[in-house]
Amino acid sequence: MSKTKSAFTRSELNQFRKLLLEKRREILHDLQGLQDSMEDPSTPGEQNQGMSNLPTHPADLATDAYDQELDLAFAGRARDRLNEIDQAIDRIEDGTYGICLAQPGELIDKKRLMAKPWAKYCLEHAQKVRET
Ligand SMILES: [Zn+2]
């Protein structure tokens, strides 16, 4: 099976790589901010020593748990996206960037890649595999 080569020029590939690296930095920054907020020193902890550990406001605690769940879901999605970005950068190095993974030889629309540079599929196949 012969490998289809990317249809993009070197300078186009550099442009996509730049987009991917920018997005990567943005996500890492968001994850860092999330981590900082989860380590917020104002959350009940050591300053409660000697006091009762029983929750005085169950509703507040429920909200905290809910927020944390949202944060974890966000962090999970962010890590998935980082993986996709790393794979896309690998494909740039590989010379196979911009080729639909579902059908060898089929090229992904450039406009789609500009909006979503980590895309693995063309629009048609993305809908089939439900890639978002
Ligand atoms: Zn396709």
Side-chain angles (χ1 to χ4, degrees):
M1 193 169 101
S2 70
K3 232 177 179 181
T4 314
K5 286 289 174 188
S6 174
F8 295 115
T9 65
R10 177 55 48 192
S11 79
E12 281 172 318
L13 288 173
N14 283 337
Q15 196 186 355
F16 284 123
R17 194 205 317 262
K18 205 169 146 242
L19 279 175
L20 286 160
L21 291 174
E22 271 167 20
K23 190 68 194 171
R24 196 174 191 284
R25 207 173 316 134
E26 211 176 283
I27 293 172
L28 285 173
H29 181 264
D30 285 352
L31 276 175
Q32 187 60 52
L34 190 66
Q35 214 162 37
D36 291 347
S37 78
M38 283 168 103
E39 286 163 10
D40 192 335
S42 72
T43 50
E46 289 173 26
Q47 68 263 47
N48 261 359
Q49 266 177 3
M51 309 269 293
S52 166
N53 281 330
L54 287 174
T56 44
H57 297 289
D60 288 350
L61 292 178
T63 307
D64 282 353
Y66 180 67
D67 282 350
Q68 210 162 38
E69 229 165 83
L70 282 183
D71 285 349
L72 287 175
F74 172 83
R77 277 199 304 276
R79 289 201 186 89
D80 287 351
R81 179 56 39 86
L82 282 179
N83 274 334
E84 289 178 323
I85 287 173
D86 285 345
Q87 284 166 18
I89 292 170
D90 281 350
R91 290 196 296 278
I92 289 177
E93 306 300 333
D94 221 32
T96 59
Y97 181 76
I99 296 160
C100 177
L101 292 193
Q103 193 169 311
E106 185 188 41
L107 298 171
I108 302 171
D109 190 59
K110 191 181 176 186
K111 262 188 276 173
R112 172 167 165 75
L113 287 170
M114 293 298 286
K116 193 171 177 291
W118 52 86
K120 296 193 283 276
Y121 301 102
C122 70
L123 195 57
E124 187 198 333
H125 285 117
Q127 279 163 354
K128 281 181 189 158
V129 301
R130 295 180 166 277
E131 184 189 56
T132 49

